Amino acid sequence: LPTPSIPPPAAAASALALSPLVAAPAFADVVHQATMASKAHGDVVLHPDLGAAAIGLVVGVVFVGAASNAALHYGDDEGCLIHEQHEICGRLSEGGECVLSKTGQWVCA
């Protein structure tokens, strides 16, 4: 039985060097179509999904921010105080004399 031969390193290297050329015709077609689209619209090409990507990015950033805030303040002490005849409830400060209002400002008694 003949033993399988291992290709010499030069043959493997040449195959690796030629592999990017296999996709060259498909890449050339993409470049050609993009060039045609850019000429019709003033050399500016915007992908149709750009709006959805921007909305997804904003939603993702808001979600991560809200989740981080909830995780950082989970289990914090909450309380209420009377300020200018209004009851304000929220997270207590370190000393307990101030409350973080819903508007994000610290209100002290």
Side-chain angles (χ1 to χ4, degrees):
L1 291 171
T3 59
S5 65
I6 299 173
S14 66
L16 183 63
L18 292 176
S19 63
L21 298 178
V22 174
F27 182 71
D29 185 48
V30 168
V31 169
H32 177 70
Q33 289 178 1
T35 303
M36 288 181 2
S38 69
K39 295 293 182 200
H41 300 290
D43 290 337
V44 176
V45 178
L46 297 177
H47 196 275
D49 293 333
L50 181 65
I55 290 170
L57 178 65
V58 169
V59 168
V61 167
V62 167
F63 176 76
V64 168
S68 298
N69 188 37
L72 289 173
H73 299 294
Y74 180 76
D76 283 352
D77 293 332
E78 293 190 6
C80 297
L81 59 85
I82 305 296
H83 181 71
E84 297 177 2
Q85 300 182 357
H86 295 285
E87 183 180 40
I88 301 172
C89 297
R91 185 169 46 109
L92 291 173
S93 64
E94 295 278 332
E97 67 276 355
C98 297
V99 171
L100 184 63
S101 68
K102 292 182 181 181
T103 60
Q105 296 177 348
W106 288 100
V107 178
C108 298

